[in-house]
Amino acid sequence: MVMKKFLWTITALFAATALLATPLIAFASEKDADAIANDLLDDSVEPGWNWIHNAWRYYDEELKPCYNWLFIDNAWYYVGQDDAMCTGWFFVDTAWYYANPKGIMQTGWLLLDNAWYYTNLSGVMQTGWFFVDTTWYYANPSGVMLTGWQWIAGSWYYLDPNGAMHTYWLWDGDWYFLDPTTGVMYANAWAQGSYYLLANGHMAYGCYAPGDYWLNWSGCWEPGDWLDGTAKYMLSRAQAYTSSTEWLIIVDDAACRAGIFWGCSGTWCLYKYFPCATGAPGTPTIKGTYKVQSKIYHFGEEKGYTCYYATQFSGDYLLHSILYNKNSWTVQDGRLGAQLSHGCVRLATENAQYIYDNIPIGTTVVSY
């Protein structure tokens, strides 16, 4: 029984002149047409599309099967060496292509199995960076369009939920700045002349950036001489230290000043700077480089006082609040700015609490 000739209606005109790499024209198979006709029965094949052996196959006017790229009714099809029309993903030469269930090669955006892909005007699946209209996108080696933070070729980028590469300012729990041209996240760098981005990309604010620049609480640099000599020396000295966290604590024993830094080696910002009480001459504070080990909400009751928000950095040496009467919040000794402790570093209670609440275990603590 003669099968009906297979024709489909094409609704989208494929502009052959826009192809970046025009597919090859169709070739007739080297198979013997008479042998094929005998196998299929002479009356079972017509010129055009035929459903044979569970696949669509295309025959020319001489009833020879065609393969390779076929341009039919303004649409491209691909027929493999087995003479079967391809559907879904298929690989030709060095590129992947996608054909819909009717075999028509697709171009543009494709949503398949909850993932987005993009094929250019030649139908080639895009990987890596690719440009569509006015926007850059990025696809992994499988062609899947990526979103969110991505580490690419040694730099961080942010791709919006629609896949578009983000530029300029980004709020993602903190402020970040992405290069207006390349999309690269700024780190250890100034943006737009007045904002400083830390090593992790966070915008610094309410602190002193390297070079003694004061950044207000909106992150903007405010010109002026805001640091005393001790603070400037501490900020300069801090740059040589490393920490396993994005925080660093430094205590100047002689000046009785402490600083909390934010950032990383070479780019530490002085986030908080305040007076403290270090060890008296008979019970000095140890000097050296240590790490935050543990935290204790209160201690000292057996000695007749209570200290709160204690952060241990070496043995019995702690950063903690001023002294209160035992089991109370009545101040017993609130002095700061002098060497008078038993070796610990006393702080105003709000500063001790800040360290207790925000500075993680493992943070470097320096005393000099």
Side-chain angles (χ1 to χ4, degrees):
M1 178 178 181
V2 179
M3 297 182 64
K4 293 182 179 179
K5 184 177 180 181
F6 175 70
L7 294 173
W8 290 322
T9 301
I10 305 299
T11 58
L13 177 62
F14 182 78
T17 56
L19 290 177
L20 300 179
T22 304
L24 299 176
I25 61 173
F27 292 94
S29 173
E30 295 297 326
K31 298 176 182 177
D32 183 81
D34 293 333
I36 295 170
N38 287 334
D39 288 342
L40 301 173
L41 299 180
D42 289 346
D43 62 351
S44 65
V45 179
E46 289 185 340
W49 290 109
N50 293 262
W51 179 257
I52 300 172
H53 297 327
N54 297 315
W56 286 105
R57 304 168 192 278
Y58 193 85
Y59 291 82
D60 64 15
E61 293 298 327
E62 297 179 359
L63 298 185
K64 291 182 178 181
C66 298
Y67 66 97
N68 218 313
W69 289 103
L70 307 177
F71 191 63
I72 302 169
D73 294 334
N74 294 319
W76 284 101
Y77 301 80
Y78 187 79
V79 177
Q81 292 290 335
D82 61 354
D83 302 331
M85 180 188 77
C86 292
T87 60
W89 289 109
F90 59 93
F91 193 77
V92 180
D93 296 328
T94 61
W96 283 97
Y97 300 81
Y98 185 83
N100 69 16
K102 293 183 178 182
I104 299 174
M105 185 194 77
Q106 302 295 285
T107 62
W109 288 106
L110 303 172
L111 180 59
L112 305 170
D113 297 326
N114 296 315
W116 283 101
Y117 301 81
Y118 187 80
T119 57
N120 65 17
L121 291 177
S122 296
V124 174
M125 181 190 78
Q126 301 297 283
T127 59
W129 289 109
F130 59 96
F131 195 71
V132 180
D133 296 328
T134 60
T135 304
W136 284 99
Y137 300 83
Y138 189 86
N140 68 16
S142 298
V144 175
M145 183 198 78
L146 301 182
T147 61
W149 286 107
Q150 301 294 333
W151 178 256
I152 302 170
S155 297
W156 282 105
Y157 298 81
Y158 187 83
L159 306 173
D160 289 330
N162 66 356
M165 182 185 77
H166 198 98
T167 59
Y168 290 98
W169 290 103
L170 167 72
W171 172 256
D172 187 36
D174 282 283
W175 283 106
Y176 299 82
F177 190 82
L178 294 309
D179 188 272
T181 302
T182 66
V184 172
M185 182 194 81
Y186 276 30
N188 299 334
W190 289 93
Q192 297 185 320
S194 299
Y195 300 88
Y196 189 76
L197 288 307
L198 301 170
N200 60 3
H202 296 180
M203 182 190 76
Y205 58 90
C207 60
Y208 293 94
D212 304 344
Y213 296 102
W214 167 250
L215 305 175
N216 64 26
W217 288 98
S218 70
C220 187
W221 168 52
E222 289 185 2
D225 188 10
W226 301 92
L227 296 177
D228 61 28
T230 300
K232 288 181 178 180
Y233 175 73
M234 183 181 290
L235 179 58
S236 174
R237 181 166 178 160
Q239 307 312 317
Y241 294 101
T242 61
S243 179
S244 59
T245 74
E246 61 184 1
W247 297 95
L248 170 70
I249 298 174
I250 294 183
V251 177
D252 184 330
D253 179 70
C256 295
R257 292 291 185 272
I260 300 176
F261 295 81
W262 188 23
C264 69
S265 179
T267 62
W268 291 113
C269 294
L270 183 54
Y271 187 65
K272 287 182 178 292
Y273 178 70
F274 39 74
C276 62
T278 55
T283 54
T285 300
I286 56 172
K287 294 179 175 61
T289 302
Y290 310 94
K291 289 185 179 295
V292 171
Q293 299 173 13
S294 64
K295 298 183 181 184
I296 307 165
Y297 176 60
H298 64 87
F299 74 96
E301 287 77 11
E302 71 283 1
K303 297 179 181 180
Y305 57 81
T306 294
C307 292
Y308 296 95
Y309 304 118
T311 298
Q312 178 195 33
F313 61 91
S314 179
D316 293 332
Y317 292 92
L318 312 169
L319 297 147
H320 61 74
S321 74
I322 58 176
L323 275 59
Y324 291 86
N325 289 334
K326 182 178 178 179
N327 296 321
S328 77
W329 287 97
T330 302
V331 175
Q332 182 180 111
D333 187 348
R335 292 176 297 166
L336 296 172
Q339 296 176 317
L340 51 80
S341 77
H342 301 111
C344 290
V345 179
R346 295 183 195 174
L347 307 171
T349 302
E350 62 270 20
N351 294 325
Q353 183 178 3
Y354 185 88
I355 294 173
Y356 183 90
D357 289 342
N358 295 283
I359 306 302
I361 302 296
T363 295
T364 297
V365 178
V366 177
S367 173
Y368 64 82

